[in-house]
Amino acid sequence: AEGFSALDLELALPCATNQVFVRLPDGVAERLAGRGWQFYRFDNVEAYRFVSSWSTTRDEVEELLEDLKTVR
């Protein structure tokens, strides 16, 4: 969640688990998906859900954040 906030992206809900609900500017979700990232739109909170697992590495998180910087 801190990485999204550091990119000035709004969290739609407080982060208390391995799920982060983030509001993305127009077009960003499509461009990020085009880079192979998988996440889901949740219309009831007007945000996208990103989920990590126990096997998600710090490098993978950093790669996602770098791709977010690129597609913005």
Side-chain angles (χ1 to χ4, degrees), residues 16-34:
T17 67
N18 65 326
Q19 302 177 70
V20 181
F21 293 85
V22 181
R23 293 196 170 99
L24 297 175
D26 291 341
V28 170
E30 292 80 10
R31 292 189 294 273
L32 195 59

Side-chain angles (χ1 to χ4, degrees), residues 13-69:
L13 298 170
C15 181
T17 67
N18 65 326
Q19 302 177 70
V20 181
F21 293 85
V22 181
R23 293 196 170 99
L24 297 175
D26 291 341
V28 170
E30 292 80 10
R31 292 189 294 273
L32 195 59
R35 289 177 167 256
W37 293 103
Q38 296 181 1
F39 49 92
Y40 305 94
R41 178 162 174 81
F42 272 64
D43 290 327
N44 57 336
V45 292
E46 297 180 8
Y48 293 88
R49 183 181 86 159
F50 292 82
V51 180
S52 64
S53 74
W54 290 108
S55 65
T56 302
T57 66
R58 178 170 290 281
D59 287 343
E60 290 169 323
V61 172
E62 292 298 326
E63 184 180 352
L64 169 63
L65 295 173
E66 284 300 317
D67 279 353
L68 265 169
K69 287 180 193 176

